[in-house]
Amino acid sequence: MWRWGSGMSISQHSGPPKVSLIYDPKVRSIAYQVILCAIIIFLAYSAVRNAIDNLARAHIASGFGFWNQTAGFDISQTLISYTAQGGTYGRAFWIGLLNTLLVAAIGIVLATIVGFLVGIARLSKNFLLARLSAGYVEMIRNVPLLLQLLFWYNAVLKALPDLRDSWSLPGSIYLNNRGFFAPYPIFSSGTELVVAAFVVGVIGALAFGIWARKRQEQTGQQSPVALVSLGLIVGLPIIAFFAAGMPATLEFPEKGRFNIRGGLEILPELVALVIGLTLYTGAFIAEVVRAGIMAVSKGQTEAAGALGLRTGPTLKLVVIPQAMRVIIPPLTNQYLNLTKNSSLAVFVGYPDLVQIFTGTVLNQTGQAVEVVTITMAVYLTISLLTSMTMNWYNSRIALVER
Amino acid sequence: MSIATQDDLNVPDARYVRVAPVEALPPPVAARGVVGWVRANLFSSPANIFLTLLTAALIIWIVPPVIEFVFTHAVWSGSDREACLPTADRPEVGACWAFVRDRFSYFIYGSYPIPERWRVNIFFAMLAVGIVWMLRLEAPRRDLGALYFFVIVPIVSYILLTGWEAIGLRRVDTSLWGGVLVTIVVSWVGIVFSLPIGILLALGRRSTMPAVKLLSVIFIEFVRGVPLITVLFMASVMLPLFVPDAYSPDKLLRALIGIAMFASAYMAEVVRAGLQAMPKGQYEGAMAVGLGYWQMMYLIILPQALKITIPNIVNTYIGLFKDTTLVVIVGIFDFLHTVEVSRIDPKWAAPTTSATGYVFAAIFYFIFCFSMSRYAKSVEARLGKADRR
């Protein structure tokens, strides 16, 4: 402590005035951290102790031994082969993970399309279109996703006609309360050529894009990148397809009296989940897109006009590149939200990771700690990978200032 | 420009020369009034005409069936499913509002004992007073309001809702709670706990102490990286393992813990954004006048930072309110779950019962969330006004 009364003696002391250790900020900070860590360690320790006691009392095994045990339950949609007798819990986990990724991938593509269309429509000068888009966004954003999923599943898809009165669309597409049935291509030998052509096309398009950009930077001349890419990516595989003698045939679903055989069967649960996730996330993406476009100041458009650019090039070269910088980070957030929200699949019975693993496997094995930890680890990994990619991207496109 | 008069020109007979400016003509009929507006906003170009027609077709496709379902073909009264079944002289049946009327008190109170429901009503009223007090920025003594909302109401309503034999309130087990009551309790507990915990976490994340910072970051990123369902699963199946058997929390409490954890992590990021928006001079100024860390935060930084984050805080609350529907996964009868249970009740099994229940629930959630988002917008506009001066 330092008092005015002792002011005279300061000059005799050298170095900082003596303070009690309690008032030393460094000592305090270390003490706080030690206390905090001690509390956390104590809590963790007692939690583990209690868990061991409780598990022993309930005769529940611990460890990951269950991974290779036979699962013995059926799964309605499997992207890799699986049987109730032969499948293990580990295999069930992979199936659940793949189903989650499938629904997330479809949802992300569709929600992006819906979101961009609606977001741009909401900024349209057309009064009716702008109002309708605003109404859609407000309506969807203010109603819980779970309610929307249940509505699509129970009130819409379950209310479709049954198998006998299926709605049939041209091209052997059937829609009924058991799902959505469509023709499915079956590939025979020669398909490899088409795949190879596709790969070559993609590589070619990328190479052409890089070359065109270099050329523009050096000479200022532009090349038709979009057309050439389209030709390479779509045209080349089509040519290869015919050159290989059309190695694919369509298998059409056949409607019997009691079921539909063959073709592609899409579960109503998947349809409900995709519709719900797409419309819900689409509304949020629309807001992200709108905010991004509005963030580009009007002066940019006017300056482009003053330079003689028409509407199309103005959008492509001036507005969109700047808007994307604002749009991408929150857009990725929405993609992550969609992936996490796909766990609501459990409420409509779509066999995703949570439904299979945290639901059925947890119920059968009772190993709550392991199962919930694995599930959380999966989602955490997806989140962390995405945000790492995001940070890398952000640092790449960030405005370089001074 | 000056106007030449007859005298300047010295041509006395020049009758064609105007001496006063002509009144401007009104814009053509096609460019003013309703017609002009329609031409400018709906039919300005071929693409625009196409969009208008497309949108109009979409609206005509959607709106009349919805109105028919909700109003004109709806069944307003009846005592069981018979009322809502399609008959020969009424093939099209719309919403079965009779079902909602019949189940209305169940939707609100769940299975809360009927003679005790006045307690729930008092709880709603107390909460409403607190919400109005907190939300009106110009209300008197908002510091008292905060005390009332964050301390008094929680204690009183806990006693009121669960019961206390000593003062003559019968105990009501939480497994009997349901409907709007549970939805409100869950979201309100989330709101009350998430803000203070979120503030602490946000401060922890910006702390200079490495251990505090690391723990805050781990908690926030962990919770934000996983879906709410898994947090609820953790609270419901793992939490009971981690505490001694005697203290095992009941189902509702587990869900509340899960929701509070989840909301806190999101709130922490919202508050952190507000803290980051504070200019450094505010921190330095506070330190220069000799304030300690907590004084600086309490008196200088947080009042400003929280004020600019109000819109984002309210948006987080909207998300929280919608997320409360997920507590059904741990077996709690929140509002949506009471609708879900009622809709499959054989007494009311009719083709449109499900849709009616969902529409009713959607209206309920929409009213709450939409008014919250309007509130956030108005606060944003008000704060923006102060900035624009």
Side-chain angles (χ1 to χ4, degrees):
Chain A
M1 286 287 256
W2 189 82
R3 287 189 207 89
W4 281 109
S6 58
M8 292 303 287
S9 58
I10 292 177
S11 53
Q12 289 149 21
H13 284 284
S14 58
K18 261 198 168 169
V19 287
S20 161
L21 274 183
I22 308 176
Y23 295 105
D24 186 340
K26 257 190 196 152
V27 177
R28 273 194 169 198
S29 129
I30 290 173
Y32 287 143
Q33 296 184 56
V34 169
I35 294 171
L36 184 70
C37 289
I39 293 174
I40 300 281
I41 289 170
F42 171 74
L43 286 178
Y45 171 74
S46 47
V48 171
R49 275 288 301 273
N50 285 324
I52 292 172
D53 285 356
N54 286 332
L55 287 174
R57 205 174 313 124
H59 300 293
I60 295 174
S62 55
F64 296 94
F66 70 93
W67 193 260
N68 290 322
Q69 287 169 14
T70 307
F73 59 87
D74 261 322
I75 299 175
S76 55
Q77 176 188 299
T78 54
L79 296 181
I80 51 177
S81 69
Y82 171 89
T83 52
Q85 292 79 35
T88 60
Y89 288 128
R91 191 135 182 109
F93 164 83
W94 289 113
I95 286 169
L97 180 55
L98 283 178
N99 285 345
T100 290
L101 294 178
L102 175 75
V103 102
I106 301 176
I108 283 173
V109 171
L110 295 181
T112 309
I113 297 171
V114 170
F116 271 77
L117 286 181
V118 175
I120 293 167
R122 209 178 159 180
L123 291 170
S124 153
K125 278 185 202 128
N126 188 313
F127 175 81
L128 217 50
L129 187 63
R131 289 282 108 186
L132 185 73
S133 316
Y136 158 77
V137 170
E138 289 298 338
M139 197 108 116
I140 295 285
R141 286 201 329 156
N142 286 317
V143 173
L145 174 60
L146 175 57
L147 175 54
Q148 297 184 31
L149 286 179
L150 291 174
F151 174 79
W152 289 115
Y153 185 63
N154 288 322
V156 176
L157 290 173
K158 285 283 149 190
L160 284 178
D162 59 10
L163 187 81
R164 206 176 321 164
D165 311 313
S166 301
W167 290 353
S168 50
L169 300 168
S172 292
I173 296 172
Y174 296 101
L175 196 62
N176 57 42
N177 60 8
R178 283 214 229 150
F180 177 77
F181 300 84
Y184 186 69
I186 294 177
F187 298 104
S188 47
S189 66
T191 317
E192 303 82 24
L193 193 66
V194 181
V195 176
F198 177 73
V199 173
V200 169
V202 170
I203 294 173
L206 284 177
F208 184 75
I210 294 170
W211 175 81
R213 183 189 283 179
K214 268 199 183 140
R215 177 162 166 254
Q216 192 186 349
E217 275 169 9
Q218 283 164 2
T219 64
Q221 285 169 317
Q222 295 184 337
S223 324
V225 179
L227 268 177
V228 173
S229 305
L230 191 74
L232 281 171
I233 296 176
V234 179
L236 216 55
I238 290 179
I239 294 170
F241 180 73
F242 286 106
M246 293 193 272
T249 48
L250 283 179
E251 186 192 62
F252 290 97
E254 274 173 44
K255 203 174 102 176
R257 277 185 64 189
F258 300 109
N259 56 4
I260 289 183
R261 279 174 192 286
L264 177 70
E265 180 191 355
I266 302 174
L267 297 177
E269 291 82 20
L270 178 61
V271 177
L273 198 57
V274 166
I275 296 178
L277 286 173
T278 301
L279 292 183
Y280 188 75
T281 318
F284 283 87
I285 292 180
E287 284 299 272
V288 167
V289 170
R290 188 171 74 109
I293 295 177
M294 278 168 52
V296 179
S297 74
K298 216 174 169 201
Q300 299 282 335
T301 323
E302 289 165 355
L307 286 176
L309 290 183
R310 269 182 272 128
T311 323
T314 304
L315 273 179
K316 199 182 131 204
L317 300 172
V318 178
V319 176
I320 290 177
Q322 296 188 68
M324 280 323 253
R325 190 177 280 137
V326 184
I327 290 174
I328 297 271
L331 185 66
T332 332
N333 245 341
Q334 291 306 327
Y335 289 165
L336 269 184
N337 279 346
L338 187 144
T339 312
K340 286 189 279 177
N341 282 336
S342 72
S343 59
L344 296 195
V346 66
F347 293 104
V348 291
Y350 172 76
D352 81 323
L353 179 65
V354 170
Q355 206 260 346
I356 292 181
F357 202 62
T358 325
T360 316
V361 173
L362 175 60
N363 277 340
Q364 288 195 3
T365 61
Q367 292 188 268
V369 180
E370 292 85 348
V371 167
V372 174
T373 310
I374 293 175
T375 317
M376 285 184 148
V378 168
Y379 284 104
L380 262 185
T381 315
I382 296 175
S383 296
L384 290 180
L385 283 181
T386 315
S387 47
M388 270 160 59
T389 322
M390 219 39 253
N391 288 342
W392 169 79
Y393 177 82
N394 262 340
S395 62
R396 228 190 63 141
I397 67 158
L399 272 181
V400 182
E401 285 180 324
R402 271 171 291 165
Chain B
M1 214 163 92
S2 66
I3 292 155
T5 62
Q6 239 168 337
D7 297 340
D8 296 337
L9 292 168
N10 269 332
V11 190
D13 287 342
R15 285 168 190 272
Y16 54 85
V17 177
R18 277 204 187 275
V19 292
V22 186
E23 225 21 42
L25 284 173
V29 181
R32 67 188 143 118
V34 179
V35 180
W37 183 89
V38 167
R39 277 176 68 120
N41 288 296
L42 297 178
F43 301 106
S44 60
S45 65
N48 210 346
I49 293 173
F50 173 72
L51 283 178
T52 302
L53 294 180
L54 200 72
T55 318
L58 200 62
I59 290 175
I60 290 168
W61 184 54
I62 295 172
V63 173
V66 169
I67 289 178
E68 271 177 11
F69 180 83
V70 176
F71 297 108
T72 45
H73 288 169
V75 178
W76 297 90
S77 58
S79 57
D80 60 2
R81 65 192 292 263
E82 295 296 328
C84 297
L85 288 179
T87 52
D89 47 291
R90 193 190 53 183
E92 288 275 315
V93 179
C96 183
W97 295 119
F99 153 73
V100 173
R101 279 172 69 171
D102 185 49
R103 285 314 185 96
F104 194 72
S105 65
Y106 179 62
F107 291 158
I108 303 285
Y109 304 102
S111 311
Y112 208 87
I114 293 171
E116 307 291 332
R117 284 183 179 173
W118 58 272
R119 284 150 64 171
V120 180
N121 293 336
I122 291 183
F123 164 69
F124 285 151
M126 272 173 26
L127 206 58
V129 169
I131 289 172
V132 172
W133 201 346
M134 290 305 291
L135 290 190
R136 279 181 61 89
L137 293 182
E138 63 276 4
R141 295 309 302 271
R142 291 180 68 238
D143 51 337
L144 274 187
L147 183 76
Y148 170 80
F149 190 72
F150 287 103
V151 180
I152 295 176
V153 180
I155 297 172
V156 174
S157 49
Y158 176 77
I159 296 171
L160 197 64
L161 290 177
T162 53
W164 190 12
E165 302 286 356
I167 57 168
L169 288 175
R170 197 154 70 82
R171 264 201 81 75
V172 180
D173 197 75
T174 54
S175 59
L176 295 176
W177 300 16
V180 173
L181 169 65
V182 162
T183 293
I184 299 276
V185 164
V186 173
S187 47
W188 178 57
V189 166
I191 286 172
V192 167
F193 280 91
S194 67
L195 191 57
I197 300 177
I199 290 174
L200 286 181
L201 284 169
L203 291 177
R205 194 168 180 168
R206 286 172 61 79
S207 162
T208 48
M209 301 183 222
V212 176
K213 186 173 180 174
L214 185 70
L215 287 172
S216 307
V217 170
I218 289 177
F219 179 83
I220 293 170
E221 291 305 322
F222 169 72
V223 173
R224 280 163 42 92
V226 298
L228 176 57
I229 285 198
T230 56
V231 175
L232 287 172
F233 261 118
M234 192 176 85
S236 116
V237 296
M238 279 166 78
L239 201 64
L241 292 176
F242 290 154
V243 295
D245 222 16
Y247 301 106
S248 190
D250 78 348
K251 269 200 292 195
L252 182 63
L253 188 56
R254 289 181 210 167
L256 291 178
I257 293 172
I259 287 269
M261 266 174 69
F262 192 75
S264 307
Y266 281 81
M267 193 57 76
E269 286 301 275
V270 168
V271 174
R272 185 168 75 114
L275 290 177
Q276 276 176 344
M278 282 294 105
K280 217 170 171 209
Q282 296 290 328
Y283 291 88
E284 292 166 351
M287 282 187 255
V289 295
L291 297 181
Y293 179 80
W294 292 108
Q295 284 175 315
M296 170 175 82
M297 285 303 166
Y298 179 70
L299 295 172
I300 309 289
I301 305 298
L302 282 178
Q304 302 182 68
L306 289 183
K307 196 173 159 199
I308 56 169
T309 29
I310 289 178
N312 286 338
I313 293 177
V314 177
N315 282 335
T316 313
Y317 286 160
I318 296 175
L320 174 66
F321 188 73
K322 287 188 292 177
D323 281 344
T324 57
T325 49
L326 301 192
V327 294
V328 53
I329 197 78
V330 294
I332 293 171
F333 284 77
D334 78 315
F335 171 59
L336 183 56
H337 197 37
T338 55
V339 173
E340 190 65 6
V341 171
S342 305
R343 107 188 147 76
I344 45 177
D345 177 4
K347 186 186 165 199
W348 281 102
T352 59
T353 308
S354 298
T356 309
Y358 291 139
V359 169
F360 176 66
I363 294 171
F364 168 82
Y365 284 105
F366 182 82
I367 289 173
F368 271 74
C369 296
F370 188 69
S371 40
M372 277 196 269
S373 78
R374 284 288 113 157
Y375 174 76
K377 280 233 172 79
S378 75
V379 172
E380 210 172 350
R382 244 182 80 154
L383 297 176
K385 214 188 286 171
D387 286 343
R388 273 197 303 274
R389 259 184 316 161

